[in-house]
Amino acid sequence: MTKIAAIAGSDASGGAGLAADLKTFEEYGLYGMAAVTLVAVMDPDNNWSHAVFPLGEDVLRAQLETIFKGIGPAAAKSGMLGTDYAVELTREYISAYKIKNYVLDPVMVCKGAGEALNLELNAALAAKLLPLAEIVTPNLFEAEQLSGMKNITAIEGMKEAAKIIFDKGVRHVFIKGGAKLPGQDRALDLFYDGKDFEIIEAEKISTSWNHGAGCTVSAAIAAGLARGLSAPEAVRLAKQFITLSFQGSFPLNQWVGPGNPSGWRRAFA
Ligand code: PXL
């Protein structure tokens, strides 16, 4: 059994973070493990506003010891880290255990969180983790933060950002334009390997129930790498995976709804 790890937050609503990661790993036929960085909760009495409760440094280190020293995953992804020590511990364990198949999802704020953007933490994340990552998976907002560019609204801007981010030491860049690029009738993402660009496109699925989409995509990419796919093969398959997941998305309540990572089971049943 091939093993894979997520270093991520727990979303109590179950749609994002390590819940999405573990469901996705399962769909790829992998044995998933998780080191929890923080717990994210949402307030039903206050418009579903988010709060995060970071776990202590000692608790996170103990989980990383369990996973990396005690077991040894073939691949790993990191999601919402939330604290400077979570960034540093991720750097320490990914480099000490030489995890080549490491996917960095540079989660900076979660949708609807209204959470203050922590510029210092994002700078540390970029400096310490980009040089270790096989693939980084920013959305448009995160690509702006990582590249220092403003207002990326078209493929040209995504290409420019991908080059800037690539020069920070990551081996491949995957920018998720998704359904967010204005004026496009397909969902477009951009993959860059330092030489060539590839636009990865799929049917645009109009749903507001897309909670956990970014987490699911980066988990699927890491899972593909763990299964032995190359970086471009892993992102292409992840795009199919998230599209099928969106086809089965559903509301949890008036505020939020996730995709369904088991979507591709039904597609091929
Ligand atoms: O979708 C980003 C995200 C990542 N990780 C956790 C989250 C969220 C958004 O809610 O809760 C734990």
Side-chain angles (χ1 to χ4, degrees):
M1 192 77 167
T2 303
K3 299 166 228 82
I4 183 167
I7 307 171
S10 170
D11 164 10
S13 77
L18 67 86
D21 296 338
L22 292 174
K23 291 170 198 175
T24 301
F25 297 160
E26 182 75 13
E27 292 300 323
Y28 272 73
L30 301 168
Y31 178 79
M33 301 176 275
V36 189
T37 55
L38 54 84
V39 177
V41 297
M42 298 83 197
D43 186 351
D45 294 323
N46 187 17
N47 255 329
W48 211 242
S49 68
H50 294 211
V52 296
F53 297 90
L55 271 66
E57 184 171 357
D58 51 346
V59 186
L60 181 55
R61 182 182 287 282
Q63 295 175 85
L64 294 167
E65 283 282 296
T66 306
I67 292 169
F68 289 93
K69 188 174 192 180
I71 299 167
K77 69 152 276 190
S78 62
M80 193 185 280
L81 296 173
T83 59
D84 52 358
Y85 56 81
V87 171
E88 173 53 25
L89 283 170
T90 301
R91 186 205 62 74
E92 181 182 331
Y93 279 80
I94 295 294
S95 67
Y97 290 90
K98 300 189 171 52
I99 306 296
K100 180 181 172 288
N101 293 328
Y102 164 52
V103 176
L104 168 59
D105 188 14
V107 180
M108 292 183 181
V109 280
C110 55
K111 275 190 286 290
E115 193 187 314
L117 187 61
N118 186 336
L119 294 176
E120 261 171 49
L121 190 63
N122 295 337
L125 179 146
K128 292 185 177 185
L129 301 181
L130 278 174
L132 298 178
E134 179 69 7
I135 309 184
V136 65
T137 61
N139 58 25
L140 293 176
F141 173 76
E142 292 154 354
E144 288 170 358
Q145 297 295 315
L146 289 174
S147 65
M149 289 174 59
K150 293 204 173 70
N151 282 320
I152 303 174
T153 52
I155 290 287
E156 281 318 305
M158 288 165 76
K159 286 184 174 172
E160 207 178 314
K163 282 187 181 167
I164 297 172
I165 296 167
F166 180 84
D167 286 340
K168 294 177 191 280
V170 66
R171 295 188 287 280
H172 304 88
V173 181
F174 181 67
I175 301 182
K176 300 170 288 191
K180 295 272 166 58
L181 273 186
Q184 302 285 350
D185 51 12
R186 305 270 292 163
L188 301 184
D189 303 325
L190 180 75
F191 178 73
Y192 181 56
D193 63 4
K195 239 174 65 204
D196 298 314
F197 294 105
E198 179 177 340
I199 293 170
I200 298 180
E201 56 174 282
E203 160 198 3
K204 192 164 171 172
I205 294 167
S206 44
T207 174
S208 357
W209 310 129
N210 59 5
H211 181 56
C215 306
T216 302
V217 171
S218 60
I221 295 172
L225 296 176
R227 294 291 305 252
L229 300 183
S230 67
E233 288 166 347
V235 300
R236 288 181 208 126
L237 187 59
K239 181 71 168 174
Q240 292 180 9
F241 187 86
I242 191 68
T243 302
L244 291 164
S245 162
F246 275 161
Q247 285 172 350
S249 71
F250 58 97
L252 294 173
N253 55 28
Q254 68 193 98
W255 296 286
V256 74
N260 184 346
S262 74
W264 73 355
R265 249 189 269 171
R266 286 189 310 277
F268 299 115

